[in-house]
Amino acid sequence: MLPTAHRTSSGYRVYTPLHERALAAFLALVPGHGHATATAVMQAVNRDAVDEALQLIDESHVRLLHDRRTLRAVEDALHGLTADSASADSTSFRRTFIGPLAQELGVRPATLRKWENAGLVRPRRDPLTGYRVYDPADVRDAHLVHQLRRGGYLLEQIAPLITQVRTADGVEPLEGALRDWHGRLSDRGRAMLHGAAALDSYLRERA
């Protein structure tokens, strides 16, 4: 991580202001990029592989952008569900069966069964007929899954969100979690800016 230190005749390492600048750059990179990426960046820089270090930073920014887009998709899906439930003539969250729900969503019943197998919807079975019965919460979950699937998200990516919606007993209590998510992403972005400034200072010192 740090450039190689010289040793005295007694074997002690001698650290210079350049080593201090390298350590400062590493510590500044960690909050925005994580320990592993910060270490890889500094190792690349100290091998004079600056382009490799910059690519690692670029990839970290891409991950942040992906996280921002994921948050936006989640917000859009949740707000869409809230708007549906507030509509005076909406029947989205009434109890229903697999056929009508599939028709409402524009998907095949097999798709709903696939979501059920993945744990994303949990209809109960009517004890007399054996038919799947979707309660209002199940219909809400199906709408949320449908919107996120249309956004290109995989079932395994959707599962944690559905769990959170169920735990919060609806979409409204998630507003606080969404604000916290925004805050964490903003903090990462600011930390990346701080890390970039420290790394640039170190690169100038090495030049």
Side-chain angles (χ1 to χ4, degrees):
M1 180 187 68
L2 296 179
T4 303
H6 299 292
R7 292 180 180 269
T8 66
S9 58
S10 302
Y12 292 104
R13 290 184 176 87
V14 177
Y15 293 101
T16 67
L18 183 62
H19 291 93
E20 295 178 3
R21 191 64 60 85
L23 179 59
F26 170 74
L27 294 176
L29 288 168
V30 169
H33 300 274
H35 190 278
T37 297
T39 299
V41 167
M42 296 305 297
Q43 289 174 339
V45 167
N46 291 324
R47 294 196 312 269
D48 291 323
V50 176
D51 284 346
E52 180 182 334
L54 296 178
Q55 180 175 335
L56 289 168
I57 291 174
D58 290 343
E59 291 170 353
S60 192
H61 278 279
V62 169
R63 287 191 293 272
L64 177 60
L65 178 59
H66 174 75
D67 288 346
R68 289 190 184 280
R69 287 174 173 167
T70 299
L71 173 58
R72 179 62 182 271
V74 168
E75 288 180 320
D76 288 347
L78 291 175
H79 292 160
L81 290 179
T82 302
D84 284 346
S85 63
S87 175
D89 60 352
S90 174
T91 60
S92 296
F93 302 120
R94 294 178 182 172
R95 190 176 66 172
T96 189
F97 299 95
I98 190 169
L101 180 57
Q103 184 176 8
E104 181 180 323
L105 295 174
V107 301
R108 298 173 60 187
T111 299
L112 285 172
R113 289 193 288 269
K114 182 178 180 180
W115 295 352
E116 180 182 349
N117 291 335
L120 302 180
V121 291
R122 301 183 298 191
R124 63 179 178 84
R125 295 276 187 162
D126 185 282
L128 297 178
T129 65
Y131 293 157
R132 291 173 174 84
V133 179
Y134 293 82
D135 289 330
D138 301 315
V139 177
R140 176 202 64 201
D141 292 348
H143 274 260
L144 180 54
V145 172
H146 184 236
Q147 291 190 49
L148 291 175
R149 287 292 290 147
R150 288 179 62 186
Y153 291 89
L154 303 176
L155 297 183
E156 55 266 31
Q157 294 173 309
I158 298 171
L161 173 64
I162 296 297
T163 299
Q164 190 173 18
V165 170
R166 289 172 181 158
T167 302
D169 193 25
V171 298
E172 292 81 1
L174 292 181
E175 291 298 326
L178 293 176
R179 286 194 297 271
D180 290 342
W181 193 351
H182 270 292
R184 290 195 300 272
L185 294 181
S186 295
D187 289 344
R188 275 174 59 192
R190 293 288 299 273
M192 285 180 175
L193 291 177
H194 180 65
L199 180 62
D200 181 64
S201 178
Y202 175 56
L203 290 173
R204 292 176 185 275
E205 188 83 10
R206 282 174 55 88

